[in-house]
């Protein structure tokens, strides 16, 4: 019998798809090998030894056997879980959103980034705390940056002049900020306030500081969320499914029994 | 697809349609198609007939959203069942699994999924509103949340439990612990912890 090539890696499960009788195809994100899919056999059976270690958003140590198509999970040992996500639908939706855009922006395999991996985990941890909105903005910024979509926030994309703190516009199509004089270049651009622009810039240059401060008023949070959402939608060419759910969670009136 | 251009269109069509089924990839679809081609005409017609009648003969129960040949379904109509105890499951197959235990005499409510935002499924996409309304209208005494023991199932259960807060209806969850025939040493710490917390007197 040909001996299969075996290897082990740390991974975060970012997507699951039921397959065949009791198998599951997992999309995992790893620090050293980037994003790829593996198959976990028999894990949907209650008696599976691995299923408890392979839930969505589990940080796990995996032993894998290389196979022709999908590598096969031979052992799994959970390192870190985000169980609070099961108790808070909004936090879960934020986590799904991060996983969905990570999956969409990062190409399959050979795109290792231990920095983005660590940032993903850190973002998940922060979802259990108060500063989760700004944590998701920081994640979006880093993800856009590392996948080649870093928005230009310092000089005008129309005339190249340095952006000054007055009326500026945000243009997903042009890839960042344009000044008032160049606004005509993208009629779909939307005005961006000076404080929102400032925080977004800081998220590019010194995210840790912004995350430590974490006192951002709700209106600003909303503005940044909408601008980055527009940006993500423009470059993905579709609206993330999880952001639709998030919107309905926010608008739907609670239905008391 | 180059290889497909040389074969009859009817075969291609069968392969494509079969490949849409869950758990069936293009290779399996092809194998099934060629198997059907080789089998007797009667057998293929019986299958076609079964598929044709599938949708016509089955309706969704307007009370619990189970699939049945009548509406309301057998379980919702049955006088032998306790209509004040509603067991909430994600899918039809979960209902079948619980029925197989023969230990549950209440009625069901099928959500048709669990909250999974990245698949576009939020609370509005599930039969949650209907559950709350039904529990209220039928003066249920207990709602058993039998969603899957994973993140999505937990989030769904928590969401539903919140909606019943402050009502007189008892909301319970299935116990979780060690499976029959399992090995303690292979259990993950969450399962083992739950088993320990929910231990019963021997």
């Amino acid at each position: 019998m040909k001996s299969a090539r075996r290897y082990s890696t740390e991974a975060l499960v970012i997507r699951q798809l039921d397959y065949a009788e009791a198998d599951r195809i997992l999309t995992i994100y790893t620090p050293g090998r980037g994003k790829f899919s593996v198959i976990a056999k028999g894990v949907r059976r209650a008696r599976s030894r691995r299923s408890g270690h392979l839930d969505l958003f589990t940080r796990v140590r995996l032993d894998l056997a290389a196979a022709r198509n999908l590598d096969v999970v031979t052992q799994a040992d959970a390192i870190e879980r985000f169980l609070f996500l099961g108790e808070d639908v909004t936090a879960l939706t934020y986590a799904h959103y991060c996983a969905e855009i990570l999956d969409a922006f990062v190409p399959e395999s050979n795109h290792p980034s231990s920095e983005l991996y660590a940032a993903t985990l850190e973002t998940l941890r922060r979802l259990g705390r108060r500063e989760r909105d700004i944590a998701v903005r920081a994640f979006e910024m880093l993800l856009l940056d590392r996948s080649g979509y870093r928005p230009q926030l310092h000089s005008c994309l129309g005339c190249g002049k340095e952006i000054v703190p007055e009326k500026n516009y945000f243009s997903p199509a042009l890839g960042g900020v344009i000044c008032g004089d160049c606004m005509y270049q993208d009629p779909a651009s939307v005005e961006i306030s000076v404080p929102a622009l400032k925080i977004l810039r800081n998220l590019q240059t010194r995210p840790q500081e912004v995350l430590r401060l974490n006192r951002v008023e709700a209106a600003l949070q909303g503005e940044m969320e909408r601008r980055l959402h527009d940006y993500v939608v423009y470059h993905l060419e579709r609206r993330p499914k999880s952001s639709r759910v998030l919107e309905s969670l926010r608008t739907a009136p609670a239905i008391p029994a | 697809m180059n290889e497909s251009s040389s074969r009859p269109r009817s075969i291609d069509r069968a392969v494509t349609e079969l490949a849409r089924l869950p758990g069936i990839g293009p290779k399996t679809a092809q194998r099934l198609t060629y198997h059907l081609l080789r089998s007797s005409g009667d057998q293929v017609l019986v299958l076609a007939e079964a598929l044709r009648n599938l949708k016509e003969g089955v309706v969704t129960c307007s009370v619990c959203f189970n699939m049945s040949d009548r509406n309301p379904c057998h379980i919702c109509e049955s006088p032998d069942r306790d209509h004040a105890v509603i067991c909430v499951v994600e899918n039809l197959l979960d209902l079948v699994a619980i029925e197989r235990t023969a230990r549950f005499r209440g009625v069901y409510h099928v959500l048709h999924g669990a909250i999974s935002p990245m698949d576009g499924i939020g609370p509005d996409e599930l039969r949650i509103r209907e559950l709350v309304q039904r529990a209220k209208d039928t003066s249920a005494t207990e709602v058993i949340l039998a969603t899957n023991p994973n993140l999505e199932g937990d989030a769904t259960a928590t969401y539903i439990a919140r909606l019943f807060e402050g009502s007189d209806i008892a909301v319970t969850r299935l116990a979780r612990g060690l499976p029959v025939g399992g090995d303690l040493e292979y259990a993950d710490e969450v399962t083992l912890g739950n088993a320990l917390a929910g231990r019963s007197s021997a």
Side-chain angles (χ1 to χ4, degrees):
Chain A
M1 202 182 83
K2 194 183 95 193
S3 77
R5 194 172 62 82
R6 288 171 187 282
Y7 61 99
S8 85
T9 179
E10 186 186 313
L12 177 73
V13 181
I14 61 167
R15 194 180 270 274
Q16 294 181 322
L17 183 72
D18 288 351
Y19 185 74
E21 188 82 352
D23 305 345
R24 200 165 263 158
I25 293 176
L26 311 174
T27 302
I28 57 173
Y29 192 53
T30 67
R33 295 164 184 262
K35 181 190 89 176
F36 58 102
S37 296
V38 297
I39 186 159
K41 297 204 166 165
V43 286
R44 277 152 61 210
R45 290 185 225 280
R47 232 186 256 189
S48 162
R49 288 169 179 178
R50 292 180 288 273
S51 62
H53 299 272
L54 292 171
D55 200 3
L56 196 60
F57 304 120
T58 305
R59 180 181 165 211
V60 64
R61 164 124 321 251
L62 290 180
D63 282 1
L64 295 150
R68 226 172 351 146
N69 289 319
L70 297 170
D71 293 356
V72 181
V73 176
T74 55
Q75 259 189 64
D77 204 355
I79 305 170
E80 185 176 3
R81 298 165 194 277
F82 302 92
L83 292 176
F84 62 88
L85 297 175
E87 287 153 26
D88 180 346
V89 178
T90 306
L92 181 79
T93 306
Y94 276 84
H96 271 244
Y97 173 75
C98 292
E100 190 180 355
I101 59 173
L102 179 71
D103 191 21
F105 276 104
V106 173
E108 188 103 340
S109 227
N110 293 327
H111 203 86
S113 167
S114 50
E115 186 198 10
L116 192 53
Y117 177 78
T120 308
L121 290 173
E122 194 48 43
T123 307
L124 289 176
R125 287 182 200 117
R126 286 179 197 274
L127 293 183
R129 307 184 213 145
R130 286 232 158 268
E131 74 265 28
R132 59 189 182 192
D133 279 283
I134 196 75
V136 175
R137 299 292 85 76
F139 179 74
E140 288 171 320
M141 274 306 208
L142 185 71
L143 177 63
L144 289 168
D145 195 326
R146 295 302 183 268
S147 51
Y149 293 97
R150 179 186 171 105
Q152 166 62 264
L153 303 176
H154 291 269
S155 52
C156 171
L157 286 156
C159 61
K161 272 191 222 140
E162 198 185 326
I163 290 290
V164 289
E166 47 193 42
K167 229 177 192 191
N168 293 300
Y169 295 82
F170 188 74
S171 162
L174 295 173
V177 177
I178 46 179
C179 69
D181 294 339
C182 297
M183 186 253 165
Y184 70 92
Q185 294 197 15
D186 179 9
S189 62
V190 179
E191 191 183 337
I192 183 164
S193 73
V194 173
L197 180 58
K198 192 175 157 208
I199 299 174
L200 289 181
R201 279 178 176 191
N202 287 341
L203 281 175
Q204 280 184 336
T205 50
R206 39 196 166 142
Q208 291 309 321
E209 267 175 58
V210 182
L211 287 170
R212 259 199 304 276
L213 285 171
N214 83 58
R215 298 254 153 157
V216 183
E217 54 182 287
L220 265 183
Q221 293 276 21
E223 184 184 0
M224 291 192 294
E225 177 175 351
R226 286 190 297 277
R227 292 299 81 78
L228 284 183
H229 181 259
D230 293 346
Y231 194 86
V232 164
V233 170
Y234 183 86
H235 292 284
L236 272 187
E237 297 180 357
R238 66 176 172 85
R239 186 169 177 199
K241 288 179 181 170
S242 40
S243 66
R244 223 168 279 163
V245 173
L246 189 62
E247 192 184 275
S248 72
L249 279 178
R250 283 174 179 166
T251 54
I255 28 169
Chain B
M1 283 212 288
N2 286 332
E3 54 171 334
S4 58
S5 54
S6 58
R7 67 187 184 200
R9 192 164 295 186
S10 57
I11 295 183
D12 267 349
R13 207 174 143 216
V15 172
T16 316
E17 292 308 317
L18 285 170
R20 284 186 215 276
L21 299 173
I24 298 197
K27 286 282 181 219
T28 308
Q30 200 165 304
R31 205 159 52 234
L32 290 173
T33 305
Y34 282 91
H35 172 83
L36 289 171
L37 269 179
R38 277 196 308 271
S39 42
S40 73
D42 280 358
Q43 220 178 323
V44 179
L45 283 181
V46 170
L47 175 64
E49 188 65 17
L51 290 176
R52 185 186 292 277
N53 291 339
L54 182 61
K55 279 294 214 181
E56 287 167 12
V58 178
V59 289
T60 302
C61 172
S62 59
V63 180
C64 71
F65 302 101
N66 183 15
M67 297 275 204
S68 174
D69 50 11
R70 61 175 196 233
N71 179 19
C73 71
H74 299 267
I75 297 174
C76 289
E77 285 275 80
S78 169
D80 301 334
R81 314 219 33 150
D82 183 352
H83 291 258
V85 180
I86 304 174
C87 179
V88 180
V89 292
E90 289 180 19
N91 291 306
L92 298 166
L93 289 172
D94 300 330
L95 184 156
V96 174
I98 293 179
E99 274 300 275
R100 236 180 4 230
T101 66
R103 301 266 293 265
F104 182 62
R105 300 310 303 162
V107 290
Y108 293 94
H109 190 92
V110 187
L111 296 172
H112 288 279
I115 292 172
S116 179
M118 70 170 82
D119 301 310
I121 302 172
D124 290 351
E125 277 68 39
L126 304 171
R127 301 287 188 181
I128 293 178
R129 241 169 252 271
E130 291 87 344
L131 169 68
V132 176
Q133 194 62 44
R134 175 186 172 195
K136 230 174 11 176
D137 293 351
T138 61
S139 10
T141 54
E142 183 179 0
V143 168
I144 304 170
L145 300 171
T147 52
N148 282 326
N150 54 34
L151 224 45
E152 277 64 32
D154 285 348
T156 309
T158 313
Y159 183 86
I160 295 173
R162 292 267 152 81
L163 298 177
F164 283 103
E165 263 171 24
S167 76
D168 296 333
I169 302 166
V171 180
T172 57
R173 292 215 59 186
L174 287 191
R176 50 181 76 180
L178 299 166
V180 175
D183 256 28
L184 221 59
E185 72 168 302
Y186 287 110
D188 63 280
E189 69 281 2
V190 178
T191 304
L192 200 51
N194 280 322
L196 207 51
R199 67 190 185 278
S200 51
S201 54

